[in-house]
Amino acid sequence: MLDLLTEHLKSAEFRAMVITLGSRGSVYADQNGHSGFCPSMKVQVKDTTGAGDAFCSGLVVGLTYGKTLAESCEIGTRLSASVIVSNENVCPRFLPRELGIDQ
């Protein structure tokens, strides 16, 4: 999947792209040649509603605070894991330092 992502990223002229793979994690790549795999967290799943939104939110937060694409995917993974372990489909509140973000 990572090779396919890298190939399509170049042909589409996107700066970066992330593909989530559900319980298998996510892959990411950017135009600078950085790419990789971010494994999912092994948690007891109760409800997956909102997991994708939480992942996207964490990804955007990381990028907004200057984190790398890899670090941002890790934040997204952590937020999505915090959603799927609950019957509620909202993220619990995290302090920036808990996500490795310095303000």
Side-chain angles (χ1 to χ4, degrees), residues 10-103:
K10 289 177 184 175
S11 66
E13 298 182 14
F14 291 140
R15 290 191 308 155
M17 186 179 290
V18 176
I19 298 176
T20 58
L21 305 169
S23 64
R24 295 176 295 171
S26 60
V27 292
Y28 58 88
D30 68 23
Q31 284 288 344
N32 297 322
H34 301 109
S35 63
F37 168 73
C38 184
S40 63
M41 296 178 72
K42 303 303 176 206
V43 296
Q44 184 66 41
V45 177
K46 291 189 178 178
D47 185 354
T48 60
T49 304
D53 292 336
F55 180 90
C56 185
S57 297
L59 180 70
V60 170
V61 164
L63 293 173
T64 299
Y65 280 91
K67 296 297 184 180
T68 66
L69 195 52
E71 292 167 329
S72 298
C73 284
E74 290 174 10
I75 294 170
T77 297
R78 182 165 178 196
L79 291 185
S80 65
S82 73
V83 169
I84 65 175
V85 298
S86 170
N87 289 327
E88 304 295 324
N89 57 0
V90 296
C91 288
R93 181 174 161 89
F94 286 97
L95 296 173
R97 70 175 178 272
E98 292 177 286
L99 300 174
I101 297 171
D102 300 321
Q103 292 184 320

